[in-house]
Amino acid sequence: MPNDKIHQLTCLGALLFIVGVFLPLASLPVVGDISYYRLDNTSAIIVAILAATAPVLIILKKEVFTFASALAVWVVMLWPALKNMGGGSDDSGGMLGDIVGKATDPLKNFAADLFMNINEFSWGGFVFIIGLLIMTIGAFMTTMKARK
């Protein structure tokens, strides 16, 4: 592990976030405990890999790019909300988009509202959010330090 405190902060945040992806975020009455991985396993794997790239970039002495790793995690997690921000455009994807839309798991709607319902998180959700915030702050500070 790197000796610099800022690098350690980034690595700790990435580790907490990756573990938090698989911990229970919330408990729903009928469904039970759900994790981000259970909600959307493809996105969960992608964000876990992206979060793991921050410590790898530090080890490879490419600290300038660590914030891009954290930013990519945020974009993947917020993509359902970001793609619908346009408002006026109706980009449903045609017939294939309709079929895929009807076949998706109803729990994925919860993934889109993840940050809106922070008061409903269980202990794993707080590990998830704290890890994400620590990783983001650490990656930002690492990138700023590397640019000097």
Side-chain angles (χ1 to χ4, degrees), residues 37-121:
Y37 180 76
R38 184 174 174 198
L39 292 173
D40 190 0
N41 56 0
T42 305
S43 293
I45 292 170
I46 291 170
V47 296
I49 291 170
L50 289 171
T53 60
V56 170
L57 288 170
I58 290 171
I59 292 169
L60 295 175
K61 306 288 186 209
K62 303 286 185 189
E63 295 95 346
V64 176
F65 302 111
T66 56
F67 187 66
S69 174
L71 186 63
V73 168
W74 280 96
V75 168
V76 170
M77 289 181 56
L78 295 175
W79 183 250
L82 292 174
K83 72 178 182 178
N84 294 328
M85 284 179 56
S89 66
D90 184 26
D91 187 18
S92 63
M95 186 179 80
L96 182 62
D98 291 339
I99 293 170
V100 170
K102 291 177 184 175
T104 57
D105 187 7
L107 288 176
K108 288 188 182 182
N109 292 332
F110 183 79
D113 296 332
L114 188 63
F115 297 110
M116 301 299 196
N117 300 312
I118 198 164
N119 59 344
E120 297 176 12
F121 280 167

